[in-house]
Amino acid sequence: MNDRQAYGVFGNPIGHSKSPLIHAAFAAQCGQAIDYRPLLAPLDGFADSVAAFVAGGGRGANVTVPFKEEAYRLATRLTARAERAGAVNTLVFDGQAILGDNTDGAGLLRDLTLNLTYPLAGRRILLLGAGGAARGVLAPLLDAAPDVLTIANRTATRARGLAHDFAAHGTVVGGGYDELAGQSFDLVINATAASLGGELPPLPGGVFHAGSLAYDMMYGQGDTPFLAFARRQGAARLADGLGMLVEQAAEAFRVWRGVHPDTAPVIAMLRNSGPDGDPAR
Ligand code: NDP
């Protein structure tokens, strides 16, 4: 046993997660004595794996695919942002109590507004996808007061449902990709899993204009199909999700340790660390 406090990331698979590298860098930078490791949970054994980790002294954990919804149900208390997201990516253990939080939205917002210096107020935003990632970022995006936020999804009813659920936060509409014809947007965020399979969401031409920012939550070496399409369509700026990955981790680190690390050197380290673009974290 060492005296470092135990943290980790639950997922399946989890072997290629960058989170241990990120949190080790944060810990070194902030002088925090933590031990953070990948925690492979069986697909039908998430709750048991969490219980065993807590029994062994675990203080907190991140949660990634496919356990975010299960973590939401497992938590005994939720932050407001986790409640809104319907998913949990950060757990804090305190005796029998489990606090569930969600830092994905804060991570995206920090990457867009601080790292990319892209103000969101008054912008026309298009969000692609209606899964967990889209749901997690909707409230913070709307709270930033865009002109309009449009959600497009392969299964149009899911996008319409999300728009309905978040209507109280701002002007938001949802529908299918065919409904985008003739519209252009300042910011287009790909929150679909299409890039994972090397696919492009069925976007009509014209959604980008010469000043648009194209943002793919997926990250890796080179352009994703979405970013390649945006480039061909003349989008002014392209960004992948590596900054969001590091920012959501920094926000989790703050929740656990009360100190927000400097993310810029960690993003730079990962950019220079090689061709591994595995989206697991
Ligand atoms: P989900 O499985 O919950 O949702 C997947 C979404 O993608 C659904 O809306 C689905 O549409 C859509 N989709 C899947 N395949 C295609 C396709 N070929 N064409 C068009 N739409 C498609 O996944 P998550 O929301 O959890 O994650 C989405 C992405 O975001 C992943 O790539 C993930 O790695 C990334 N992510 C990145 C983070 C970061 O920190 N950078 C944080 C969180 C997520 P339908 O409803 O029709 O099935």
Side-chain angles (χ1 to χ4, degrees), residues 65 68-69 104 129-134 153-155 158 177 190-194 196 199-202 217-219 241-242 244-246 248 279 281:
V65 178
K68 288 185 185 180
E69 282 78 20
D104 281 337
N153 194 46
R154 191 171 57 179
T155 311
R158 291 186 76 193
Y177 286 95
N190 184 16
T192 74
L196 284 172
E199 289 174 21
L200 175 69
M217 285 195 190
M218 170 82 180
Y219 51 85
L242 188 72
M244 176 180 174
L245 175 77
V246 175
Q248 64 76 29
R281 58 198 176 84

PDB file of all heavy atoms in Angstrom, residues 65 68-69 104 129-134 153-155 158 177 190-194 196 199-202 217-219 241-242 244-246 248 279 281, ligand 1:
ATOM      1  N   VAL A  65     -17.449   5.278 -21.740  1.00  0.00           N
ATOM      2  CA  VAL A  65     -18.278   4.324 -22.474  1.00  0.00           C
ATOM      3  C   VAL A  65     -18.062   2.905 -21.943  1.00  0.00           C
ATOM      4  O   VAL A  65     -16.911   2.499 -21.763  1.00  0.00           O
ATOM      5  CB  VAL A  65     -17.904   4.384 -23.982  1.00  0.00           C
ATOM      6  CG1 VAL A  65     -18.711   3.380 -24.787  1.00  0.00           C
ATOM      7  CG2 VAL A  65     -18.104   5.792 -24.512  1.00  0.00           C
ATOM      8  N   LYS A  68     -21.797   5.546 -18.548  1.00  0.00           N
ATOM      9  CA  LYS A  68     -22.178   6.865 -18.016  1.00  0.00           C
ATOM     10  C   LYS A  68     -23.618   6.907 -17.493  1.00  0.00           C
ATOM     11  O   LYS A  68     -23.901   7.585 -16.508  1.00  0.00           O
ATOM     12  CB  LYS A  68     -21.984   7.950 -19.079  1.00  0.00           C
ATOM     13  CG  LYS A  68     -20.522   8.272 -19.355  1.00  0.00           C
ATOM     14  CD  LYS A  68     -20.443   9.442 -20.317  1.00  0.00           C
ATOM     15  CE  LYS A  68     -19.005   9.733 -20.716  1.00  0.00           C
ATOM     16  NZ  LYS A  68     -18.935  10.867 -21.644  1.00  0.00           N
ATOM     17  N   GLU A  69     -24.507   6.189 -18.181  1.00  0.00           N
ATOM     18  CA  GLU A  69     -25.908   6.191 -17.719  1.00  0.00           C
ATOM     19  C   GLU A  69     -26.044   5.346 -16.449  1.00  0.00           C
ATOM     20  O   GLU A  69     -26.802   5.674 -15.548  1.00  0.00           O
ATOM     21  CB  GLU A  69     -26.861   5.675 -18.811  1.00  0.00           C
ATOM     22  CG  GLU A  69     -27.161   6.695 -19.896  1.00  0.00           C
ATOM     23  CD  GLU A  69     -26.027   6.822 -20.907  1.00  0.00           C
ATOM     24  OE1 GLU A  69     -25.199   5.886 -20.991  1.00  0.00           O
ATOM     25  OE2 GLU A  69     -25.945   7.860 -21.587  1.00  0.00           O
ATOM     26  N   ASP A 104     -18.416  17.055 -18.838  1.00  0.00           N
ATOM     27  CA  ASP A 104     -18.233  17.146 -20.292  1.00  0.00           C
ATOM     28  C   ASP A 104     -18.653  18.518 -20.843  1.00  0.00           C
ATOM     29  O   ASP A 104     -17.970  19.092 -21.692  1.00  0.00           O
ATOM     30  CB  ASP A 104     -19.034  16.051 -21.008  1.00  0.00           C
ATOM     31  CG  ASP A 104     -18.345  14.689 -20.952  1.00  0.00           C
ATOM     32  OD1 ASP A 104     -17.110  14.655 -20.764  1.00  0.00           O
ATOM     33  OD2 ASP A 104     -19.036  13.673 -21.112  1.00  0.00           O
ATOM     34  N   GLY A 129     -26.012  15.016 -33.538  1.00  0.00           N
ATOM     35  CA  GLY A 129     -26.088  13.888 -32.615  1.00  0.00           C
ATOM     36  C   GLY A 129     -27.054  14.175 -31.490  1.00  0.00           C
ATOM     37  O   GLY A 129     -27.302  15.349 -31.144  1.00  0.00           O
ATOM     38  N   ALA A 130     -27.615  13.101 -30.939  1.00  0.00           N
ATOM     39  CA  ALA A 130     -28.570  13.248 -29.831  1.00  0.00           C
ATOM     40  C   ALA A 130     -28.320  12.185 -28.773  1.00  0.00           C
ATOM     41  O   ALA A 130     -29.233  11.771 -28.068  1.00  0.00           O
ATOM     42  CB  ALA A 130     -29.998  13.162 -30.370  1.00  0.00           C
ATOM     43  N   GLY A 131     -27.077  11.737 -28.662  1.00  0.00           N
ATOM     44  CA  GLY A 131     -26.714  10.742 -27.655  1.00  0.00           C
ATOM     45  C   GLY A 131     -26.264  11.419 -26.375  1.00  0.00           C
ATOM     46  O   GLY A 131     -26.550  12.597 -26.117  1.00  0.00           O
ATOM     47  N   GLY A 132     -25.526  10.657 -25.558  1.00  0.00           N
ATOM     48  CA  GLY A 132     -25.101  11.157 -24.255  1.00  0.00           C
ATOM     49  C   GLY A 132     -24.237  12.402 -24.338  1.00  0.00           C
ATOM     50  O   GLY A 132     -24.396  13.331 -23.533  1.00  0.00           O
ATOM     51  N   ALA A 133     -23.334  12.438 -25.309  1.00  0.00           N
ATOM     52  CA  ALA A 133     -22.434  13.588 -25.403  1.00  0.00           C
ATOM     53  C   ALA A 133     -23.217  14.857 -25.749  1.00  0.00           C
ATOM     54  O   ALA A 133     -22.985  15.929 -25.173  1.00  0.00           O
ATOM     55  CB  ALA A 133     -21.346  13.335 -26.438  1.00  0.00           C
ATOM     56  N   ALA A 134     -24.161  14.736 -26.684  1.00  0.00           N
ATOM     57  CA  ALA A 134     -24.973  15.901 -27.070  1.00  0.00           C
ATOM     58  C   ALA A 134     -25.788  16.392 -25.877  1.00  0.00           C
ATOM     59  O   ALA A 134     -25.811  17.590 -25.566  1.00  0.00           O
ATOM     60  CB  ALA A 134     -25.890  15.535 -28.235  1.00  0.00           C
ATOM     61  N   ASN A 153     -30.082  14.965 -36.008  1.00  0.00           N
ATOM     62  CA  ASN A 153     -29.710  13.583 -35.687  1.00  0.00           C
ATOM     63  C   ASN A 153     -30.288  12.641 -36.731  1.00  0.00           C
ATOM     64  O   ASN A 153     -31.320  12.910 -37.341  1.00  0.00           O
ATOM     65  CB  ASN A 153     -30.236  13.200 -34.293  1.00  0.00           C
ATOM     66  CG  ASN A 153     -29.598  11.928 -33.777  1.00  0.00           C
ATOM     67  OD1 ASN A 153     -28.376  11.770 -33.870  1.00  0.00           O
ATOM     68  ND2 ASN A 153     -30.389  11.016 -33.247  1.00  0.00           N
ATOM     69  N   ARG A 154     -29.534  11.533 -36.924  1.00  0.00           N
ATOM     70  CA  ARG A 154     -29.960  10.481 -37.856  1.00  0.00           C
ATOM     71  C   ARG A 154     -31.382  10.039 -37.511  1.00  0.00           C
ATOM     72  O   ARG A 154     -32.236   9.943 -38.383  1.00  0.00           O
ATOM     73  CB  ARG A 154     -28.970   9.318 -37.704  1.00  0.00           C
ATOM     74  CG  ARG A 154     -29.049   8.263 -38.723  1.00  0.00           C
ATOM     75  CD  ARG A 154     -27.879   7.312 -38.565  1.00  0.00           C
ATOM     76  NE  ARG A 154     -27.805   6.717 -37.220  1.00  0.00           N
ATOM     77  CZ  ARG A 154     -26.888   5.852 -36.844  1.00  0.00           C
ATOM     78  NH1 ARG A 154     -25.941   5.479 -37.697  1.00  0.00           N
ATOM     79  NH2 ARG A 154     -26.877   5.349 -35.627  1.00  0.00           N
ATOM     80  N   THR A 155     -31.623   9.783 -36.239  1.00  0.00           N
ATOM     81  CA  THR A 155     -32.980   9.473 -35.775  1.00  0.00           C
ATOM     82  C   THR A 155     -33.595  10.805 -35.334  1.00  0.00           C
ATOM     83  O   THR A 155     -33.350  11.282 -34.217  1.00  0.00           O
ATOM     84  CB  THR A 155     -32.935   8.471 -34.595  1.00  0.00           C
ATOM     85  OG1 THR A 155     -32.078   7.381 -34.956  1.00  0.00           O
ATOM     86  CG2 THR A 155     -34.314   7.960 -34.251  1.00  0.00           C
ATOM     87  N   ARG A 158     -35.234  11.691 -31.885  1.00  0.00           N
ATOM     88  CA  ARG A 158     -34.378  11.892 -30.698  1.00  0.00           C
ATOM     89  C   ARG A 158     -33.941  13.358 -30.615  1.00  0.00           C
ATOM     90  O   ARG A 158     -33.868  13.929 -29.523  1.00  0.00           O
ATOM     91  CB  ARG A 158     -33.139  11.001 -30.760  1.00  0.00           C
ATOM     92  CG  ARG A 158     -33.427   9.528 -30.604  1.00  0.00           C
ATOM     93  CD  ARG A 158     -32.140   8.723 -30.517  1.00  0.00           C
ATOM     94  NE  ARG A 158     -31.499   8.825 -29.225  1.00  0.00           N
ATOM     95  CZ  ARG A 158     -30.256   8.421 -28.972  1.00  0.00           C
ATOM     96  NH1 ARG A 158     -29.513   7.917 -29.938  1.00  0.00           N
ATOM     97  NH2 ARG A 158     -29.739   8.526 -27.770  1.00  0.00           N
ATOM     98  N   TYR A 177     -31.342  15.474 -40.680  1.00  0.00           N
ATOM     99  CA  TYR A 177     -30.336  16.161 -41.498  1.00  0.00           C
ATOM    100  C   TYR A 177     -30.954  16.818 -42.734  1.00  0.00           C
ATOM    101  O   TYR A 177     -30.491  17.864 -43.177  1.00  0.00           O
ATOM    102  CB  TYR A 177     -29.248  15.162 -41.913  1.00  0.00           C
ATOM    103  CG  TYR A 177     -28.323  14.802 -40.779  1.00  0.00           C
ATOM    104  CD1 TYR A 177     -28.546  13.664 -40.008  1.00  0.00           C
ATOM    105  CD2 TYR A 177     -27.244  15.600 -40.461  1.00  0.00           C
ATOM    106  CE1 TYR A 177     -27.718  13.337 -38.944  1.00  0.00           C
ATOM    107  CE2 TYR A 177     -26.399  15.286 -39.400  1.00  0.00           C
ATOM    108  CZ  TYR A 177     -26.647  14.160 -38.644  1.00  0.00           C
ATOM    109  OH  TYR A 177     -25.825  13.854 -37.601  1.00  0.00           O
ATOM    110  N   ASN A 190     -19.725  18.277 -33.989  1.00  0.00           N
ATOM    111  CA  ASN A 190     -20.052  16.876 -34.248  1.00  0.00           C
ATOM    112  C   ASN A 190     -20.008  16.094 -32.944  1.00  0.00           C
ATOM    113  O   ASN A 190     -18.935  15.781 -32.433  1.00  0.00           O
ATOM    114  CB  ASN A 190     -19.075  16.277 -35.262  1.00  0.00           C
ATOM    115  CG  ASN A 190     -19.444  14.844 -35.621  1.00  0.00           C
ATOM    116  OD1 ASN A 190     -20.571  14.404 -35.354  1.00  0.00           O
ATOM    117  ND2 ASN A 190     -18.521  14.118 -36.211  1.00  0.00           N
ATOM    118  N   ALA A 191     -21.182  15.777 -32.398  1.00  0.00           N
ATOM    119  CA  ALA A 191     -21.276  14.967 -31.177  1.00  0.00           C
ATOM    120  C   ALA A 191     -21.867  13.605 -31.514  1.00  0.00           C
ATOM    121  O   ALA A 191     -22.483  12.965 -30.667  1.00  0.00           O
ATOM    122  CB  ALA A 191     -22.127  15.676 -30.125  1.00  0.00           C
ATOM    123  N   THR A 192     -21.707  13.172 -32.781  1.00  0.00           N
ATOM    124  CA  THR A 192     -22.141  11.821 -33.149  1.00  0.00           C
ATOM    125  C   THR A 192     -20.970  10.866 -32.971  1.00  0.00           C
ATOM    126  O   THR A 192     -19.821  11.281 -32.807  1.00  0.00           O
ATOM    127  CB  THR A 192     -22.597  11.731 -34.621  1.00  0.00           C
ATOM    128  OG1 THR A 192     -21.440  11.763 -35.475  1.00  0.00           O
ATOM    129  CG2 THR A 192     -23.551  12.849 -34.986  1.00  0.00           C
ATOM    130  N   ALA A 193     -21.279   9.574 -33.053  1.00  0.00           N
ATOM    131  CA  ALA A 193     -20.224   8.558 -33.006  1.00  0.00           C
ATOM    132  C   ALA A 193     -19.777   8.193 -34.423  1.00  0.00           C
ATOM    133  O   ALA A 193     -19.037   7.234 -34.611  1.00  0.00           O
ATOM    134  CB  ALA A 193     -20.728   7.332 -32.260  1.00  0.00           C
ATOM    135  N   ALA A 194     -20.197   8.975 -35.432  1.00  0.00           N
ATOM    136  CA  ALA A 194     -19.890   8.623 -36.827  1.00  0.00           C
ATOM    137  C   ALA A 194     -18.384   8.556 -37.082  1.00  0.00           C
ATOM    138  O   ALA A 194     -17.903   7.643 -37.755  1.00  0.00           O
ATOM    139  CB  ALA A 194     -20.540   9.636 -37.780  1.00  0.00           C
ATOM    140  N   LEU A 196     -16.055   7.658 -35.235  1.00  0.00           N
ATOM    141  CA  LEU A 196     -15.470   6.427 -34.679  1.00  0.00           C
ATOM    142  C   LEU A 196     -15.396   5.340 -35.740  1.00  0.00           C
ATOM    143  O   LEU A 196     -14.452   4.549 -35.765  1.00  0.00           O
ATOM    144  CB  LEU A 196     -16.333   5.910 -33.511  1.00  0.00           C
ATOM    145  CG  LEU A 196     -16.232   6.614 -32.181  1.00  0.00           C
ATOM    146  CD1 LEU A 196     -17.296   6.085 -31.231  1.00  0.00           C
ATOM    147  CD2 LEU A 196     -14.854   6.434 -31.581  1.00  0.00           C
ATOM    148  N   GLU A 199     -16.991   7.430 -40.514  1.00  0.00           N
ATOM    149  CA  GLU A 199     -18.119   7.875 -41.338  1.00  0.00           C
ATOM    150  C   GLU A 199     -18.408   9.357 -41.133  1.00  0.00           C
ATOM    151  O   GLU A 199     -17.982   9.963 -40.144  1.00  0.00           O
ATOM    152  CB  GLU A 199     -19.368   7.063 -40.977  1.00  0.00           C
ATOM    153  CG  GLU A 199     -19.279   5.628 -41.443  1.00  0.00           C
ATOM    154  CD  GLU A 199     -20.462   4.799 -40.953  1.00  0.00           C
ATOM    155  OE1 GLU A 199     -21.508   5.384 -40.619  1.00  0.00           O
ATOM    156  OE2 GLU A 199     -20.296   3.570 -40.897  1.00  0.00           O
ATOM    157  N   LEU A 200     -19.145   9.884 -42.094  1.00  0.00           N
ATOM    158  CA  LEU A 200     -19.539  11.293 -42.063  1.00  0.00           C
ATOM    159  C   LEU A 200     -21.045  11.364 -41.838  1.00  0.00           C
ATOM    160  O   LEU A 200     -21.804  10.695 -42.543  1.00  0.00           O
ATOM    161  CB  LEU A 200     -19.181  11.925 -43.422  1.00  0.00           C
ATOM    162  CG  LEU A 200     -19.594  13.369 -43.673  1.00  0.00           C
ATOM    163  CD1 LEU A 200     -18.776  14.322 -42.799  1.00  0.00           C
ATOM    164  CD2 LEU A 200     -19.395  13.715 -45.146  1.00  0.00           C
ATOM    165  N   PRO A 201     -21.526  12.170 -40.876  1.00  0.00           N
ATOM    166  CA  PRO A 201     -22.983  12.346 -40.772  1.00  0.00           C
ATOM    167  C   PRO A 201     -23.509  12.917 -42.093  1.00  0.00           C
ATOM    168  O   PRO A 201     -22.788  13.661 -42.763  1.00  0.00           O
ATOM    169  CB  PRO A 201     -23.136  13.373 -39.636  1.00  0.00           C
ATOM    170  CG  PRO A 201     -21.828  13.364 -38.907  1.00  0.00           C
ATOM    171  CD  PRO A 201     -20.782  12.985 -39.906  1.00  0.00           C
ATOM    172  N   PRO A 202     -24.743  12.575 -42.475  1.00  0.00           N
ATOM    173  CA  PRO A 202     -25.252  12.975 -43.791  1.00  0.00           C
ATOM    174  C   PRO A 202     -25.612  14.459 -43.878  1.00  0.00           C
ATOM    175  O   PRO A 202     -26.774  14.843 -44.016  1.00  0.00           O
ATOM    176  CB  PRO A 202     -26.483  12.086 -43.974  1.00  0.00           C
ATOM    177  CG  PRO A 202     -26.919  11.757 -42.586  1.00  0.00           C
ATOM    178  CD  PRO A 202     -25.700  11.736 -41.727  1.00  0.00           C
ATOM    179  N   MET A 217     -15.969  16.319 -31.640  1.00  0.00           N
ATOM    180  CA  MET A 217     -15.637  15.839 -30.279  1.00  0.00           C
ATOM    181  C   MET A 217     -14.648  14.677 -30.329  1.00  0.00           C
ATOM    182  O   MET A 217     -13.957  14.403 -29.355  1.00  0.00           O
ATOM    183  CB  MET A 217     -16.901  15.400 -29.547  1.00  0.00           C
ATOM    184  CG  MET A 217     -17.744  16.555 -29.076  1.00  0.00           C
ATOM    185  SD  MET A 217     -18.950  15.933 -27.875  1.00  0.00           S
ATOM    186  CE  MET A 217     -19.991  17.368 -27.724  1.00  0.00           C
ATOM    187  N   MET A 218     -14.637  13.970 -31.438  1.00  0.00           N
ATOM    188  CA  MET A 218     -13.650  12.903 -31.647  1.00  0.00           C
ATOM    189  C   MET A 218     -12.286  13.557 -31.889  1.00  0.00           C
ATOM    190  O   MET A 218     -12.204  14.691 -32.349  1.00  0.00           O
ATOM    191  CB  MET A 218     -14.114  12.122 -32.872  1.00  0.00           C
ATOM    192  CG  MET A 218     -13.160  11.132 -33.411  1.00  0.00           C
ATOM    193  SD  MET A 218     -13.283   9.621 -32.479  1.00  0.00           S
ATOM    194  CE  MET A 218     -12.042   8.689 -33.371  1.00  0.00           C
ATOM    195  N   TYR A 219     -11.210  12.836 -31.571  1.00  0.00           N
ATOM    196  CA  TYR A 219      -9.884  13.391 -31.806  1.00  0.00           C
ATOM    197  C   TYR A 219      -8.962  12.284 -32.269  1.00  0.00           C
ATOM    198  O   TYR A 219      -9.255  11.100 -32.127  1.00  0.00           O
ATOM    199  CB  TYR A 219      -9.325  14.042 -30.533  1.00  0.00           C
ATOM    200  CG  TYR A 219      -9.400  13.126 -29.354  1.00  0.00           C
ATOM    201  CD1 TYR A 219      -8.399  12.198 -29.115  1.00  0.00           C
ATOM    202  CD2 TYR A 219     -10.516  13.142 -28.524  1.00  0.00           C
ATOM    203  CE1 TYR A 219      -8.505  11.316 -28.059  1.00  0.00           C
ATOM    204  CE2 TYR A 219     -10.618  12.266 -27.481  1.00  0.00           C
ATOM    205  CZ  TYR A 219      -9.616  11.357 -27.247  1.00  0.00           C
ATOM    206  OH  TYR A 219      -9.734  10.473 -26.211  1.00  0.00           O
ATOM    207  N   GLY A 241     -11.574  17.106 -30.606  1.00  0.00           N
ATOM    208  CA  GLY A 241     -12.034  17.083 -29.217  1.00  0.00           C
ATOM    209  C   GLY A 241     -10.957  16.853 -28.173  1.00  0.00           C
ATOM    210  O   GLY A 241     -11.291  16.604 -27.008  1.00  0.00           O
ATOM    211  N   LEU A 242      -9.688  16.954 -28.560  1.00  0.00           N
ATOM    212  CA  LEU A 242      -8.631  16.715 -27.568  1.00  0.00           C
ATOM    213  C   LEU A 242      -8.670  17.758 -26.446  1.00  0.00           C
ATOM    214  O   LEU A 242      -8.489  17.426 -25.269  1.00  0.00           O
ATOM    215  CB  LEU A 242      -7.252  16.709 -28.247  1.00  0.00           C
ATOM    216  CG  LEU A 242      -6.110  16.273 -27.342  1.00  0.00           C
ATOM    217  CD1 LEU A 242      -6.191  14.772 -27.061  1.00  0.00           C
ATOM    218  CD2 LEU A 242      -4.754  16.606 -27.945  1.00  0.00           C
ATOM    219  N   MET A 244     -11.287  19.351 -25.377  1.00  0.00           N
ATOM    220  CA  MET A 244     -12.435  19.015 -24.515  1.00  0.00           C
ATOM    221  C   MET A 244     -12.081  17.877 -23.573  1.00  0.00           C
ATOM    222  O   MET A 244     -12.429  17.908 -22.377  1.00  0.00           O
ATOM    223  CB  MET A 244     -13.631  18.617 -25.386  1.00  0.00           C
ATOM    224  CG  MET A 244     -14.842  18.155 -24.612  1.00  0.00           C
ATOM    225  SD  MET A 244     -16.197  17.710 -25.728  1.00  0.00           S
ATOM    226  CE  MET A 244     -17.382  17.047 -24.556  1.00  0.00           C
ATOM    227  N   LEU A 245     -11.373  16.874 -24.077  1.00  0.00           N
ATOM    228  CA  LEU A 245     -10.965  15.732 -23.251  1.00  0.00           C
ATOM    229  C   LEU A 245     -10.143  16.207 -22.049  1.00  0.00           C
ATOM    230  O   LEU A 245     -10.395  15.811 -20.907  1.00  0.00           O
ATOM    231  CB  LEU A 245     -10.151  14.756 -24.095  1.00  0.00           C
ATOM    232  CG  LEU A 245      -9.554  13.581 -23.333  1.00  0.00           C
ATOM    233  CD1 LEU A 245     -10.626  12.539 -23.042  1.00  0.00           C
ATOM    234  CD2 LEU A 245      -8.400  12.952 -24.098  1.00  0.00           C
ATOM    235  N   VAL A 246      -9.176  17.068 -22.318  1.00  0.00           N
ATOM    236  CA  VAL A 246      -8.302  17.535 -21.231  1.00  0.00           C
ATOM    237  C   VAL A 246      -9.073  18.469 -20.294  1.00  0.00           C
ATOM    238  O   VAL A 246      -8.914  18.413 -19.070  1.00  0.00           O
ATOM    239  CB  VAL A 246      -7.046  18.232 -21.812  1.00  0.00           C
ATOM    240  CG1 VAL A 246      -6.190  18.818 -20.695  1.00  0.00           C
ATOM    241  CG2 VAL A 246      -6.227  17.243 -22.638  1.00  0.00           C
ATOM    242  N   GLN A 248     -12.384  18.483 -19.645  1.00  0.00           N
ATOM    243  CA  GLN A 248     -13.321  17.766 -18.762  1.00  0.00           C
ATOM    244  C   GLN A 248     -12.556  17.061 -17.651  1.00  0.00           C
ATOM    245  O   GLN A 248     -13.039  16.937 -16.531  1.00  0.00           O
ATOM    246  CB  GLN A 248     -14.265  16.824 -19.539  1.00  0.00           C
ATOM    247  CG  GLN A 248     -13.608  15.668 -20.282  1.00  0.00           C
ATOM    248  CD  GLN A 248     -13.168  14.535 -19.399  1.00  0.00           C
ATOM    249  OE1 GLN A 248     -13.752  14.292 -18.364  1.00  0.00           O
ATOM    250  NE2 GLN A 248     -12.111  13.835 -19.786  1.00  0.00           N
ATOM    251  N   PRO A 279     -10.554   7.007 -28.960  1.00  0.00           N
ATOM    252  CA  PRO A 279     -11.456   7.931 -28.269  1.00  0.00           C
ATOM    253  C   PRO A 279     -11.785   7.490 -26.850  1.00  0.00           C
ATOM    254  O   PRO A 279     -12.391   8.243 -26.122  1.00  0.00           O
ATOM    255  CB  PRO A 279     -12.702   7.900 -29.133  1.00  0.00           C
ATOM    256  CG  PRO A 279     -12.686   6.544 -29.745  1.00  0.00           C
ATOM    257  CD  PRO A 279     -11.237   6.170 -29.928  1.00  0.00           C
ATOM    258  N   ARG A 281     -11.523   7.001 -22.967  1.00  0.00           N
ATOM    259  CA  ARG A 281     -10.745   7.793 -22.025  1.00  0.00           C
ATOM    260  C   ARG A 281     -11.045   7.294 -20.640  1.00  0.00           C
ATOM    261  O   ARG A 281     -10.799   7.805 -19.671  1.00  0.00           O
ATOM    262  CB  ARG A 281     -11.041   9.275 -22.196  1.00  0.00           C
ATOM    263  CG  ARG A 281     -12.502   9.595 -22.020  1.00  0.00           C
ATOM    264  CD  ARG A 281     -12.840  10.940 -22.594  1.00  0.00           C
ATOM    265  NE  ARG A 281     -14.262  11.161 -22.480  1.00  0.00           N
ATOM    266  CZ  ARG A 281     -14.860  11.615 -21.402  1.00  0.00           C
ATOM    267  NH1 ARG A 281     -14.189  11.918 -20.360  1.00  0.00           N
ATOM    268  NH2 ARG A 281     -16.156  11.786 -21.356  1.00  0.00           N
TER     269      ARG A 281
HETATM  270  P1  NDP B   1     -23.890   7.763 -28.134  1.00  0.00           P
HETATM  271  O1  NDP B   1     -23.741   6.341 -28.547  1.00  0.00           O
HETATM  272  O2  NDP B   1     -24.685   8.103 -26.920  1.00  0.00           O
HETATM  273  O3  NDP B   1     -24.585   8.578 -29.340  1.00  0.00           O
HETATM  274  C1  NDP B   1     -24.186   8.387 -30.651  1.00  0.00           C
HETATM  275  C2  NDP B   1     -24.834   9.442 -31.557  1.00  0.00           C
HETATM  276  O4  NDP B   1     -24.181   9.363 -32.815  1.00  0.00           O
HETATM  277  C3  NDP B   1     -26.317   9.222 -31.812  1.00  0.00           C
HETATM  278  O5  NDP B   1     -26.930  10.486 -31.943  1.00  0.00           O
HETATM  279  C4  NDP B   1     -26.312   8.470 -33.152  1.00  0.00           C
HETATM  280  O6  NDP B   1     -27.479   8.685 -33.915  1.00  0.00           O
HETATM  281  C5  NDP B   1     -25.155   9.142 -33.836  1.00  0.00           C
HETATM  282  N1  NDP B   1     -24.511   8.323 -34.868  1.00  0.00           N
HETATM  283  C6  NDP B   1     -23.826   7.170 -34.713  1.00  0.00           C
HETATM  284  N2  NDP B   1     -23.326   6.746 -35.889  1.00  0.00           N
HETATM  285  C7  NDP B   1     -23.700   7.657 -36.829  1.00  0.00           C
HETATM  286  C8  NDP B   1     -23.494   7.786 -38.225  1.00  0.00           C
HETATM  287  N3  NDP B   1     -22.783   6.867 -38.916  1.00  0.00           N
HETATM  288  N4  NDP B   1     -23.993   8.877 -38.855  1.00  0.00           N
HETATM  289  C9  NDP B   1     -24.700   9.793 -38.171  1.00  0.00           C
HETATM  290  N5  NDP B   1     -24.956   9.722 -36.845  1.00  0.00           N
HETATM  291  C10 NDP B   1     -24.440   8.671 -36.186  1.00  0.00           C
HETATM  292  O7  NDP B   1     -22.401   8.344 -28.067  1.00  0.00           O
HETATM  293  P2  NDP B   1     -21.882   9.588 -27.197  1.00  0.00           P
HETATM  294  O8  NDP B   1     -22.890  10.657 -27.337  1.00  0.00           O
HETATM  295  O9  NDP B   1     -21.503   9.126 -25.845  1.00  0.00           O
HETATM  296  O10 NDP B   1     -20.498   9.980 -27.937  1.00  0.00           O
HETATM  297  C11 NDP B   1     -20.490  10.601 -29.216  1.00  0.00           C
HETATM  298  C12 NDP B   1     -19.075  10.983 -29.604  1.00  0.00           C
HETATM  299  O11 NDP B   1     -18.553  11.987 -28.769  1.00  0.00           O
HETATM  300  C13 NDP B   1     -18.072   9.822 -29.545  1.00  0.00           C
HETATM  301  O12 NDP B   1     -17.246   9.902 -30.695  1.00  0.00           O
HETATM  302  C14 NDP B   1     -17.273  10.111 -28.298  1.00  0.00           C
HETATM  303  O13 NDP B   1     -15.964   9.576 -28.386  1.00  0.00           O
HETATM  304  C15 NDP B   1     -17.253  11.632 -28.320  1.00  0.00           C
HETATM  305  N6  NDP B   1     -17.005  12.241 -26.983  1.00  0.00           N
HETATM  306  C16 NDP B   1     -15.877  12.971 -26.815  1.00  0.00           C
HETATM  307  C17 NDP B   1     -15.610  13.580 -25.600  1.00  0.00           C
HETATM  308  C18 NDP B   1     -14.367  14.367 -25.432  1.00  0.00           C
HETATM  309  O14 NDP B   1     -14.012  14.671 -24.281  1.00  0.00           O
HETATM  310  N7  NDP B   1     -13.675  14.749 -26.480  1.00  0.00           N
HETATM  311  C19 NDP B   1     -16.538  13.453 -24.460  1.00  0.00           C
HETATM  312  C20 NDP B   1     -17.722  12.661 -24.749  1.00  0.00           C
HETATM  313  C21 NDP B   1     -17.919  12.080 -25.982  1.00  0.00           C
HETATM  314  P3  NDP B   1     -28.838   7.793 -33.677  1.00  0.00           P
HETATM  315  O15 NDP B   1     -29.537   8.439 -32.509  1.00  0.00           O
HETATM  316  O16 NDP B   1     -29.596   7.936 -34.950  1.00  0.00           O
HETATM  317  O17 NDP B   1     -28.381   6.388 -33.391  1.00  0.00           O
END
